[in-house]
DNA sequence: AGCACGCCGACT
DNA sequence: GTCGGCGTGCTC
């Protein structure tokens, strides 16, 4: 034990600690180090001649793990920290598993065992795969655009097997939105690649994570399918990244560590000099723009012959609605009736859980709010609870107003899926109705049960939230009713319009597959809105062009850069005063605007008051560098939190 | 970030 | 007098 090393440790704001290491240890080696009374994995970052810490205080490392981080991994860590304005110890936490234990002996799988069961490709798929494989030895981002049913997965399989066969020891990462990492979603993929698939998501146990981490590190794991955090696995020889549903907002981690896995994946592909496929039927505005600018290569997959036919989309102007029901228009109800008569399935989509989003007192206007969040309590009538959708807070449905103590004055305002179910059952009392939300799928076994019910034709009317928009294919479903298309229209969030368009497009696509052409009824109070008109004409180009021009004129991303700084604290004055102080020391720079602080749109969450500062700059300005040097002047008191979000999706 | 140490209010 | 709130500092 003679050498001194600076070791990267997975501790926020500590980043590096000095230790004594054995002679045979090298830079980039993974090591086990004692910290206080714990042991953690770290990476030897540099070898030092002397330490600032007195030599007698330096502890020797506990162990060499026998593996080292690749040089690219190290660059990736640095760049992720720099881009997101994280201390590097925070990035190390993303990369290093919590449990230390010597790995079992790991046996490497031979190439020939890896692939079976690949379906032959059609002409369009063949062309796409060929184009992608042109870039197999270099960095290239490829936008693979294709509607549901165009067979993107077969293209993935083909490209993956080609690359795995050609490059011994290479590893491939397929990222999926968390919601698609369910048993059924994976069945097809596992069939093609057998037992050699490694699946990584938030549900696997810490011990499984540790094993998989070592299997990726040793090179045994060749094909890894995972949610966003799989991007931080210690690949030794990554040769391809695929981001499925690249537009999906779940790639943007908003809580705790804030980063965008899709963008970090592009960064990693660039560092590794490998191709990355960004696949979607409704790509994000920034990806489309990158393709238009020639930064990304665009590959289009034609819809399969005999595949989905685009449904007939009808806009229902709710200002003209004469129906007795406030939320279900005459036109939609007639269409439902006609479909039921033909024994076809109907889906009603409303992105709002529960019975009613607000409970109000008619006498004194008291509104039931969460105790620790600044949000309304949502009535869940079946559960007999008023619930906060932002924290665990819930109370039994009250009989008396908490404000004026009067009885029988409380009214449920607005609809949620439960209320739509109630109305539908009143109108179509013979119909078999099933309501699904994320809450109904607590166990994965339930998931299969519901799915089978729908497929076995035991359901006439399916009511649900956005979880119905993704993935599944219901052959008998020929009518989709969007109850309230205006949820998400007219908001000021940066990606509000884009998300709404993508969601409504996806939901519409549920109607009519195979032989029968589908119908979609979209209920709205804004029939002239550009999102609604683009959907009506089945014209995504129209939406994209108009959204791009809105962003350009309002100088919003991708035509400008944004970062948000969120300051939270349990005492309002402390948080607000500190936020003001932060803004007051912002360096003045003509290319940068510092806006705020303002009380955030959810001004209190889980007992913490929230203040937001928005930083906006020109497109080519290094906003990270600016913010880092600004915040270096400030010490955040321990009773407050400060979180930077580079390229935020939410700015309110 | 955690976790330990230490300094002032309220309660048996 | 002590129990414990959280403010401050340290981890090599």
């Amino acid at each position: 034990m003679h050498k001194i090393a600076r070791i990267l440790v997975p501790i926020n704001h500590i980043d590096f600690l000095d230790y004594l290491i054995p002679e045979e240890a090298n830079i980039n080696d993974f090591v086990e180090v004692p910290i206080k009374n714990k042991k953690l994995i770290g990476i030897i970052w540099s070898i030092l001649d002397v330490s600032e810490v007195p030599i007698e205080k330096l502890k020797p490392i506990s162990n060499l793990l026998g593996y080292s981080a690749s040089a690219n991994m190290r660059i990736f860590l640095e760049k992720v920290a720099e881009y997101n304005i994280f201390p590097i110890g925070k990035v190390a936490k993303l990369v290093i598993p919590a449990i230390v234990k010597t790995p079992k002996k790991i046996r490497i799988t031979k190439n020939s065992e890896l692939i079976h069961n690949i379906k032959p490709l059609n002409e369009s798929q063949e062309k796409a795969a060929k184009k992608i494989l042109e870039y197999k030895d270099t960095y290239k981002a490829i936008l693979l655009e294709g509607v549901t049913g165009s067979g993107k997965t077969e293209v993935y399989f083909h490209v993956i097997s080609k690359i795995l066969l050609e490059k011994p020891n290479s590893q491939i990462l397929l990222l999926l939105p968390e919601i698609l990492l369910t048993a059924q979603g994976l069945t097809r993929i596992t069939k093609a690649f057998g037992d050699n698939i490694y699946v990584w998501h938030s549900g696997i146990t810490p011990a499984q994570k540790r094993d998989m981490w070592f299997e990726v590190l040793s090179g045994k794991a060749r094909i890894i399918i995972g949610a966003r955090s799989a991007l931080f696995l210690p690949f030794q020889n990554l040769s391809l990244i695929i981001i499925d549903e690249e537009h999906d907002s779940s790639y943007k981690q908003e809580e705790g560590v804030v980063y965008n896995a899709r963008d970090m994946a592009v960064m990693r592909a660039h560092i590794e000099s490998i191709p990355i496929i960004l696949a979607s039927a409704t790509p994000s505005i920034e990806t489309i723009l990158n393709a238009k600018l020639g930064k990304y290569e665009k590959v289009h997959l034609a819809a399969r012959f005999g595949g989905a036919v685009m449904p007939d989309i009808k806009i229902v102007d709710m200002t003209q609605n004469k129906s007795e029901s406030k939320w279900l228009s005459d036109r939609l109800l007639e269409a439902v009736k006609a479909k039921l008569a033909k024994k076809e399935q109907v889906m009603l989509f409303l992105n709002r859980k529960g019975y009613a989003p607000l409970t109000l007192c008619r006498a004194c206007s008291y509104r039931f709010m969460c105790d620790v969040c600044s949000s309304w309590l949502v009535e869940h009538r079946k559960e007999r609870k008023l619930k906060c959708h932002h924290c665990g807070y819930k109370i039994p449905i009250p009989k008396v107003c908490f404000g004026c103590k009067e009885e029988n004055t409380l009214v449920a305002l607005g609809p949620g899926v439960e209320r739509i179910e109630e109305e539908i059952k009143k109108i179509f009392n013979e119909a078999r109705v099933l309501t699904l939300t994320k809450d109904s799928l607590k166990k994965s076994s339930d998931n299969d049960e519901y799915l089978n019910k729908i497929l076995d034709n035991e359901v006439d009317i399916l009511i649900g939230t956005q979880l119905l928009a993704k993935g599944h294919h219901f052959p008998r479903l020929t009518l989709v009713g969007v109850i309230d298309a205006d949820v998400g229209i007219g908001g000021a969030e940066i990606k509000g319009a884009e998300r709404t368009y993508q969601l409504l497009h996806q939901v519409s696509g549920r109607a009519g597959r195979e032989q029968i052409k589908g119908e979609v009824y979209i209920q709205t109070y804004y029939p002239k809105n550009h999102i609604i008109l683009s959907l009506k004409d089945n014209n995504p180009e129209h939406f994209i062009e108009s959204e791009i021009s809105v962003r350009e004129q309002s100088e919003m991303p991708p035509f400008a850069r944004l970062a948000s700084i969120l300051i939270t604290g349990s005492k309002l004055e402390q948080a607000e005063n500190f936020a003001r102080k932060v803004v007051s020391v912002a360096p003045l720079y003509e290319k940068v605007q510092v806006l705020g602080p303002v009380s955030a749109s959810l001004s209190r969450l889980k007992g913490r008051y929230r203040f937001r500062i928005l930083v906006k700059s020109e497109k080519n300005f290094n906003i990270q560098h600016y913010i880092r040097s600004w915040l270096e002047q400030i010490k955040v008191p321990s009773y407050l939190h400060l979180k930077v979000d580079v390229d935020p999706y939410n700015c309110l």
Side-chain angles (χ1 to χ4, degrees):
Chain A
M1 290 279 180
H2 287 305
K3 294 201 279 190
I4 301 170
R6 176 144 297 172
I7 293 179
L8 174 64
V9 290
I11 307 173
N12 212 352
H13 293 290
I14 295 244
D15 306 336
F16 300 103
L17 294 172
D18 297 349
Y19 288 87
L20 298 170
I21 57 167
E23 284 297 336
E24 69 269 24
N26 283 311
I27 212 160
N28 291 354
D29 283 352
F30 280 107
V31 294
E32 190 184 310
V33 293
I35 294 181
K36 291 262 182 86
N37 48 359
K38 283 195 295 192
K39 279 181 182 168
L40 293 176
I41 296 176
I43 301 170
I44 299 181
W45 211 250
S46 56
I47 309 286
L48 305 175
D49 293 330
V50 282
S51 172
E52 290 154 28
V53 180
I55 189 105
E56 64 277 9
K57 279 196 78 183
L58 294 181
K59 290 185 191 171
I61 62 165
S62 327
N63 234 329
L64 281 164
L65 290 192
Y67 293 104
S68 36
S70 67
N72 284 338
M73 182 74 176
R74 181 185 167 120
I75 297 169
F76 181 56
L77 285 174
E78 283 173 330
K79 292 234 172 177
V80 169
E82 186 182 306
Y83 191 91
N84 297 292
I85 320 180
F86 295 160
I88 196 161
K90 195 167 176 171
V91 187
K93 267 178 95 166
L94 288 171
V95 168
I96 289 165
I99 297 178
V100 182
K101 203 184 157 194
T102 334
K104 308 169 287 189
K105 261 238 152 75
I106 292 166
R107 248 191 36 233
I108 310 292
T109 315
K110 287 193 202 77
N111 259 352
S112 54
E113 293 165 33
L114 280 169
I115 307 127
H116 9 187
N117 242 344
I118 310 277
K119 277 195 219 155
L121 300 183
N122 69 25
E123 198 185 323
S124 179
Q125 292 169 322
E126 189 80 51
K127 246 177 93 184
K130 211 176 148 201
K131 188 84 207 164
I132 294 164
L133 285 166
E134 277 177 28
Y135 300 106
K136 66 181 168 12
D137 299 311
T138 107
Y139 163 72
K140 188 74 193 179
I142 299 139
L143 164 57
L144 178 63
E145 200 179 16
V147 296
T148 325
S150 57
K152 279 176 294 193
T153 324
E154 279 78 40
V155 176
Y156 301 164
F157 288 171
H158 185 85
V159 173
I160 291 172
S161 42
K162 274 266 173 350
I163 290 182
L164 285 181
L165 283 174
E166 215 173 281
K167 302 187 177 181
N169 309 322
S170 63
Q171 296 171 304
I172 285 171
L173 172 65
L174 169 58
L175 289 188
L176 298 177
E178 186 85 32
I179 197 156
L180 294 181
L181 280 165
T182 54
Q184 312 97 309
L186 288 170
T187 317
R188 239 154 52 93
I189 299 169
T190 353
K191 261 189 203 153
F193 292 101
D195 299 334
N196 300 301
I197 292 276
Y198 289 76
V199 181
W200 176 275
H201 56 86
S202 56
I204 64 174
T205 65
Q208 288 172 319
K209 281 195 174 178
R210 180 211 55 218
D211 286 350
M212 220 178 120
W213 192 81
F214 279 110
E215 280 159 346
V216 172
L217 185 60
S218 67
K220 186 189 180 204
R222 304 284 306 278
I223 307 165
I224 293 89
I225 299 182
R228 57 186 175 227
S229 60
L231 179 64
F232 294 97
L233 284 166
F235 298 96
Q236 294 291 11
N237 201 358
L238 196 57
S239 60
L240 171 70
I241 303 175
I242 302 169
I243 314 280
D244 191 46
E245 307 291 335
E246 71 84 31
H247 65 279
D248 196 288
S249 57
S250 71
Y251 287 120
K252 174 85 185 183
Q253 162 106 17
E254 303 260 61
E255 267 162 35
V257 207
V258 184
Y259 65 92
N260 188 324
R262 182 205 51 201
D263 297 346
M264 294 307 106
V266 172
M267 184 189 269
R268 187 151 196 185
H270 189 250
I271 293 166
E272 302 276 354
S273 301
I274 59 169
I276 176 168
I277 301 172
L278 305 169
S280 175
T282 51
S284 60
I285 292 290
E286 59 274 16
T287 297
I288 289 170
L289 217 58
N290 278 328
K292 280 185 196 284
L293 292 170
K295 277 171 75 182
Y296 294 178
E297 173 85 35
K298 184 164 147 183
V299 176
H300 186 79
L301 264 188
R304 265 191 295 214
F305 184 72
V309 185
M310 270 320 278
D312 197 6
I313 296 180
K314 300 179 174 78
I315 306 303
V316 181
D317 180 352
M318 291 300 277
T319 61
Q320 306 297 313
N321 182 37
K322 304 270 193 309
S323 165
E324 272 180 40
S325 164
K326 254 197 243 172
W327 304 298
L328 299 163
S329 63
D330 290 323
R331 287 177 65 198
L332 177 58
L333 289 173
E334 268 164 43
V336 173
K337 198 172 158 190
K339 291 296 177 187
L340 292 180
K342 284 201 259 177
K343 307 275 181 219
E344 289 170 17
Q345 259 171 356
V346 171
M347 178 196 284
L348 299 178
F349 171 81
L350 176 64
N351 213 4
R352 204 183 278 139
K353 291 193 291 183
Y355 185 86
L358 171 64
T359 303
L360 181 80
C361 171
R362 257 180 294 141
C364 73
S365 302
Y366 180 87
R367 289 149 185 236
F368 284 83
M369 307 269 300
C370 178
D371 252 17
V372 289
C373 306
S374 58
S375 62
W376 295 342
L377 293 178
V378 179
E379 178 177 347
H380 286 246
R381 194 161 283 191
K382 285 181 190 167
E383 277 180 72
R384 302 172 178 205
K385 294 269 180 346
L386 298 187
K387 289 165 66 170
C388 174
H389 283 182
H390 301 282
C391 70
Y393 185 78
K394 57 185 169 194
I395 55 171
I397 294 178
K399 300 207 165 47
V400 196
C401 173
F402 285 9
C404 63
K405 313 290 180 205
E406 290 286 317
E407 274 179 57
N408 304 318
T409 60
L410 301 180
V411 279
L413 239 57
V417 284
E418 280 185 26
R419 196 166 202 172
I420 297 301
E421 178 184 334
E422 183 186 85
E423 287 221 19
I424 278 288
K425 281 182 170 164
K426 257 188 241 159
I427 302 167
F428 303 102
N429 46 29
E430 306 276 282
R432 296 161 303 171
V433 179
L434 175 66
T435 300
L436 288 182
T437 67
K438 206 179 166 205
D439 298 345
S440 18
L441 305 180
K442 288 211 175 95
K443 289 177 286 175
S444 56
S445 56
D446 293 350
N447 204 343
D448 286 342
E449 191 192 316
Y450 293 130
L451 196 70
N452 289 335
K453 266 192 168 175
I454 301 165
L455 293 173
D456 295 347
N457 217 16
E458 289 171 35
V459 176
D460 300 313
I461 303 175
L462 184 59
I463 301 171
T465 56
Q466 65 180 20
L467 110 151
L468 294 183
K470 305 201 178 182
H472 306 302
H473 164 190
F474 306 125
R476 297 194 58 83
L477 183 73
T478 57
L479 172 67
V480 166
V482 176
I483 305 300
D484 185 358
D486 305 339
V487 180
I489 281 186
E493 288 296 1
I494 307 154
K495 281 182 153 289
E498 188 184 338
R499 270 190 196 166
T500 305
Y501 180 82
Q502 286 159 349
L503 187 59
L504 295 181
H505 183 276
Q506 255 180 344
V507 174
S508 302
R510 301 295 106 193
R513 305 303 245 352
E514 313 198 339
Q515 288 83 20
I516 318 163
K517 185 171 176 137
E519 283 177 77
V520 178
Y521 284 76
I522 296 179
Q523 302 190 145
T524 176
Y525 283 88
Y526 306 96
K528 298 279 181 276
N529 180 282
H530 74 284
I531 299 173
I532 301 294
L533 290 175
S534 309
L535 285 164
K536 181 181 167 220
D537 303 336
N538 185 25
N539 188 351
E541 272 306 309
H542 173 260
F543 171 74
I544 290 160
E545 289 306 325
S546 76
E547 183 64 16
I548 286 176
S549 100
V550 166
R551 302 269 185 100
E552 191 162 18
Q553 272 155 36
S554 57
E555 295 176 322
M556 276 300 186
F559 297 96
R561 298 213 61 197
L562 283 183
S564 137
I565 300 173
L566 191 69
I567 288 154
T568 69
S570 49
K571 300 208 170 80
L572 187 137
E573 299 76 22
Q574 284 178 339
E576 186 170 21
N577 291 340
F578 181 71
R580 287 225 181 84
K581 190 185 138 202
V582 171
V583 170
S584 72
V585 297
L588 296 174
Y589 219 97
E590 58 180 320
K591 290 179 176 171
V592 186
Q593 281 173 277
V594 176
L595 310 161
V598 292
S599 189
S601 71
L602 190 60
S603 62
R604 194 158 80 114
L605 175 64
K606 293 175 188 167
R608 302 186 71 87
Y609 293 91
R610 295 149 47 87
F611 288 87
R612 203 182 283 281
I613 299 163
L614 201 62
V615 188
K616 188 172 170 184
S617 80
E618 281 178 13
K619 200 184 163 198
N620 295 317
F621 183 75
N622 189 336
I623 200 167
Q624 287 94 345
H625 186 262
Y626 172 84
I627 293 173
R628 208 180 262 276
S629 54
W630 167 16
L631 296 183
E632 265 164 16
Q633 312 168 57
I634 298 159
K635 182 169 177 350
V636 184
S638 59
Y639 49 88
L640 296 174
H641 292 167
L642 181 150
K643 198 171 78 177
V644 183
D645 181 349
V646 177
D647 308 330
Y649 280 10
N650 301 302
C651 64
L652 298 181

